[in-house]
Amino acid sequence: MRFTGMTQAKLDAKGRVFFPSAFRRQLPAADAEFVLKRDVYQSCLVVYPREVWDAEVDELTRRLNRWNPKEAMLLRRFLAEAETFVLDGNGRFLVPRHLLDAAGLSHEVVFVGVDDRVELWDKARAASLFVSDEEYADGLAAAMGGPAPESLQF
């Protein structure tokens, strides 16, 4: 499962939003349950298919020592901020008010496919999601072990 692309949507007055059909089509039929959580680093929400969420939690619990008070608090917060949901018959889900506020989401939002999860951003901040064209090219070249684009002569 690899979510790619970007889709705009609107939250209704109750905080419901349609999960983009392009992303729904990428899900295995058995994946009917999702987890919604505030991102750890940025002001957005992350939608995890249940299988992906379970793998993430398994990895985190393997790395943390529950007998260390600070690590136990990290795990507690990570899990406490998550909300489980299923799509309704129309393909919508409810974003709880505390998550709307935490991510600063307004009426217009943008879904961004990011590999095995989907991010949910406020549309007004969507333009700042990406690095510049030059940083993008340089970063990919460095990550893939190639020459930096500035060194190429055309």
Side-chain angles (χ1 to χ4, degrees), residues 22-43:
F23 295 151
R24 284 195 313 261
R25 285 193 297 270
Q26 295 179 48
L27 294 167
D31 270 345
E33 192 174 57
F34 298 88
V35 175
L36 182 65
K37 182 174 181 3
R38 190 177 127 210
D39 188 71
V40 175
Y41 301 107
Q42 300 179 34
S43 293

Side-chain angles (χ1 to χ4, degrees), residues 116-128:
D116 61 354
R117 61 202 70 194
V118 177
E119 294 177 347
L120 183 56
W121 288 84
D122 186 74
K123 184 181 175 188
R125 285 196 312 275
S128 66

Side-chain angles (χ1 to χ4, degrees), residues 63-77:
R63 292 173 180 250
L64 294 177
N65 176 358
R66 291 185 192 201
W67 297 105
N68 174 311
K70 185 163 183 112
E71 291 184 16
M73 284 190 263
L74 290 172
L75 181 61
R76 180 182 303 120
R77 180 168 176 187

Side-chain angles (χ1 to χ4, degrees), residues 125-140:
R125 285 196 312 275
S128 66
L129 294 179
F130 304 102
V131 296
S132 71
D133 289 347
E134 184 177 319
E135 290 171 308
Y136 177 66
D138 289 348
L140 283 179

